[in-house]
Amino acid sequence: MDDRLRETLSAMMDDQADELAVRRVLSHHDQQAVRDQWQRWQRIRDVMHEAPAGHAGLDVREAVSASLDQPAAGDSGHQSAGRRYAPWRWSAVAMIAVGVAIGFGAGSGWDVMSGSGPDTLVPVQAQVPAAAGVPEVTLQGLDPSQREQFSRYLLEHAQNNSMAAGQGAVGYARLTSMSGSGQGY
Amino acid sequence: MKVHTREAGHTAIIWMLLVVTMLATGMARATERETADAWLLKLGPALNMTTYRGIFVYSRGDQVSSMMIAHRYRDGSVEERLVQQDGAGGEILRRGNRVLCVLPEQGRIHLDQVIPSGPFGEAFASQQVPVGAWYQPQMLGEDRIAGYPAVVIGLEPRDDDRYGYRLWMEKHTGLLLKSHVRQDGEVLEHFQFTMLEITDELPDSEFEIRSGVEMKEVTPYLPVSGDAGEMDGWNLGWQPDGFMPVDAPRTSRGQAVAFSDGLATFSVFVEAAGGTEMPEGASRIGATTVYMHYVSPGAGSQDRFLVTVVGEIPPRTAMRVAQSVAVDDRNALARTLAD
């Protein structure tokens, strides 16, 4: 299972889930997989709680996006954040409970999803969804040569930028964060 | 009549109090603004003229990286050494205008490609841009970062074409200890010293490259004055208010122009299509937006050019900039590409 996802889930359990993290899950390129996973959790939850299964057609992306997008009544303080993440928190709790009960690792379902192809959740890590009305290019959708060109633009911009903005070390950081050996750019 | 006069007197007093209160509030605001401005003026010089060493972390999106930095200001010149703490562990050593690099063994991008385009002395030329025209500066209070007391300055954008900033500056030197790039309360990019020692003197040993490693001297590209913002064969139909062309660096395969409003920057690249076919649209990595868009010189033209806008600006702004690029003289553009 992807460590970052585990972190996100654990954060969601603690009501600490960062909105960006949830949005990243929502912006995962394979929404069908996310939806399927969500429905699996829902079914397991329903079995555990002997509730009727009525979520087959639920679009998790829409539902959660709507809950994220609803105005946070002036201040988006901790309490209101807790309310807004409630559905997610609940499902994470349910999922982990089930994981423990059945005897495999929490969120192992995500392994199916993230292991289902060369594109895993990992490349999503650094990416934020674009604004509404702006066509979005997801990094994980790029092939290797596109990635190379993409990072070249980032690099050349960082080079232009590194000193111009008068932030010294910040400019360096922007440069070197792209030359690391890890995932992403 | 008397009563009436007394009432009038009361009203006058209330009005006077109101006016005094408003004046005082206004003055307090003006003073606060001046204080914030004064701190901002310290930002650039402090980055150069303070001697310090430490470790900072930088994150955008979920990415986190850290670097060790040693920075010395002596006899009017700057020496600086940066060592990546994660991944390949590259090093950058700067002595005045000379930049030396230790290349990491691995890593997709070599540091010799990532050298800033100008000397330190000119680095803060853009600080002359009146930041206050595009951002609302505000003193937010005091904090403590990496053991040092700091003042916190907020810079709220005055329009939707730029992000907000929050700067933590060391109280005595003005050194930038921490910064946020923000949008609607969300932190998109985060820079922060986690360990810091501000000192009067650092030993020479701090600025020596590890022995026995491959080293490369890089001559920084100095933009020729006068050609900043020059665009051959294409033009920008729109740019957000306050952004001025600051640099027209060489790029590997086309033309680029860098714009800055004093804090934020974006670069516009225009290249003949024909290499890798890129998807059109916006990608965001922390505070950085990349917007790619193909454009043709005219209807029916077979030529296509890839316009890429990269910068610390919102996606919608990057899109507007990219879509405003018009290629009007493909021959001129082709000539510069051939040079």
Side-chain angles (χ1 to χ4, degrees), chain B residues 146-334:
Chain B
Y148 284 88
V151 294
V152 190
I153 294 162
L155 289 159
E156 282 302 312
R158 295 186 193 271
D159 58 32
D160 292 335
D161 290 320
R162 62 209 92 219
Y163 291 130
Y165 291 78
R166 208 162 268 190
L167 307 173
W168 281 253
M169 294 169 68
E170 202 272 324
K171 257 183 145 174
H172 303 290
T173 58
L175 185 67
L176 185 66
L177 300 179
K178 173 176 170 176
S179 71
H180 280 172
V181 182
R182 301 159 68 94
Q183 181 186 33
D184 303 330
E186 262 176 29
V187 178
L188 300 174
E189 185 190 279
H190 184 153
F191 160 88
Q192 181 174 352
F193 274 105
T194 53
M195 220 177 77
L196 181 66
E197 180 190 0
I198 298 176
T199 175
D200 291 329
E201 185 56 40
L202 285 177
D204 290 346
S205 58
E206 291 276 354
F207 301 94
E208 281 162 12
I209 285 271
R210 291 172 298 169
S211 58
V213 289
E214 187 189 354
M215 205 160 66
K216 179 162 183 161
E217 177 159 359
V218 182
T219 311
Y221 168 61
L222 304 177
V224 181
S225 60
D227 76 351
E230 186 178 306
M231 299 167 248
D232 273 335
W234 61 279
N235 63 68
L236 209 54
W238 180 81
Q239 71 203 52
D241 287 340
F243 281 88
M244 306 291 286
V246 289
D247 199 359
R250 274 189 305 230
T251 103
S252 37
R253 293 200 307 123
Q255 283 194 21
V257 178
F259 294 84
S260 175
D261 71 349
L263 272 177
T265 56
F266 67 87
S267 306
V268 183
F269 301 88
V270 180
E271 299 179 350
T276 307
E277 185 71 15
M278 299 299 285
E280 294 184 270
S283 295
R284 294 178 79 184
I285 300 153
T288 308
T289 298
V290 179
Y291 193 93
M292 291 178 290
H293 171 69
Y294 280 99
V295 65
S296 290
S301 170
Q302 292 299 308
D303 298 297
R304 286 166 79 229
F305 294 87
L306 176 61
V307 175
T308 308
V309 175
V310 187
E312 284 66 49
I313 50 174
R316 196 178 303 277
T317 307
M319 179 175 76
R320 275 192 78 184
V321 172
Q323 291 181 345
S324 82
V325 168
V327 176
D328 48 29
D329 182 354
R330 61 193 170 87
N331 292 328
L333 186 53

Side-chain angles (χ1 to χ4, degrees), chain B residues 119-135:
Chain B
F120 247 138
E122 287 181 10
F124 303 104
S126 65
Q127 285 298 114
Q128 306 307 318
V129 176
V131 163
W134 313 108
Y135 300 89

Side-chain angles (χ1 to χ4, degrees), chain B residues 34-58:
Chain B
E34 278 164 24
T35 313
D37 283 348
W39 276 104
L40 288 173
L41 285 175
K42 284 177 114 177
L43 187 65
L47 280 170
N48 268 338
M49 292 156 70
T50 311
T51 295
Y52 58 93
R53 64 179 161 195
I55 292 178
F56 62 80
V57 295
Y58 169 78

Side-chain angles (χ1 to χ4, degrees), chain A residues 2 4-5 7-8 18-24 76 84-85 122-185, chain B residues 43 47 56 58 60-63 65 67 69 80 82 84 87-88 92 94 107-109 111 113-118 120 123-124 126-127 165 176 179 181 186-187 189 191 246 249-253 258 260 262-263 265-267 269 271 276-286 288 290-292 306 308 310-312 315-316 319:
Chain A
D2 175 29
R4 290 183 189 277
L5 194 59
E7 271 171 34
T8 304
D18 157 26
E19 184 170 324
L20 285 180
V22 179
R23 284 190 187 275
R24 266 191 299 279
S76 53
R84 288 158 75 200
Y85 296 128
V122 177
V124 189
Q125 61 183 278
Q127 195 170 7
V128 189
V134 180
E136 186 176 349
V137 172
T138 55
L139 299 183
Q140 66 270 28
L142 302 177
D143 66 31
S145 64
Q146 288 175 330
R147 272 169 182 269
E148 194 184 322
Q149 183 152 353
F150 192 90
S151 49
R152 183 171 62 78
Y153 287 128
L154 278 172
L155 201 63
E156 289 188 13
H157 165 68
Q159 187 173 339
N160 300 342
N161 178 24
S162 55
M163 289 292 111
Q167 293 172 59
V170 182
Y172 269 126
R174 284 191 185 126
L175 293 182
T176 55
S177 81
M178 283 184 290
S179 62
S181 60
Q183 298 276 354
Y185 293 91
Chain B
L43 187 65
L47 280 170
F56 62 80
Y58 169 78
R60 58 172 161 194
D62 278 354
Q63 249 179 15
S65 57
M67 286 196 104
I69 184 169
E80 192 170 56
L82 293 113
Q84 272 181 277
I92 299 171
R94 176 198 293 277
R108 272 179 291 179
I109 292 142
L111 286 174
Q113 296 172 314
V114 301
I115 296 311
S117 58
F120 247 138
F124 303 104
S126 65
Q127 285 298 114
Y165 291 78
L176 185 66
S179 71
V181 182
E186 262 176 29
V187 178
E189 185 190 279
F191 160 88
V246 289
R250 274 189 305 230
T251 103
S252 37
R253 293 200 307 123
S260 175
L263 272 177
T265 56
F266 67 87
S267 306
F269 301 88
E271 299 179 350
T276 307
E277 185 71 15
M278 299 299 285
E280 294 184 270
S283 295
R284 294 178 79 184
I285 300 153
T288 308
V290 179
Y291 193 93
M292 291 178 290
L306 176 61
T308 308
V310 187
E312 284 66 49
R316 196 178 303 277
M319 179 175 76

Side-chain angles (χ1 to χ4, degrees), chain B residues 69-132:
Chain B
I69 184 169
H71 182 105
R72 178 166 74 178
Y73 183 74
R74 194 165 67 177
D75 306 328
S77 77
V78 166
E79 284 176 281
E80 192 170 56
R81 179 164 167 248
L82 293 113
V83 184
Q84 272 181 277
Q85 300 294 293
D86 330 286
E91 284 190 44
I92 299 171
L93 182 71
R94 176 198 293 277
R95 291 197 178 113
N97 294 346
R98 287 180 69 217
V99 179
L100 296 162
C101 265
V102 176
L103 306 179
E105 292 280 322
Q106 296 161 337
R108 272 179 291 179
I109 292 142
H110 292 283
L111 286 174
D112 61 336
Q113 296 172 314
V114 301
I115 296 311
S117 58
F120 247 138
E122 287 181 10
F124 303 104
S126 65
Q127 285 298 114
Q128 306 307 318
V129 176
V131 163

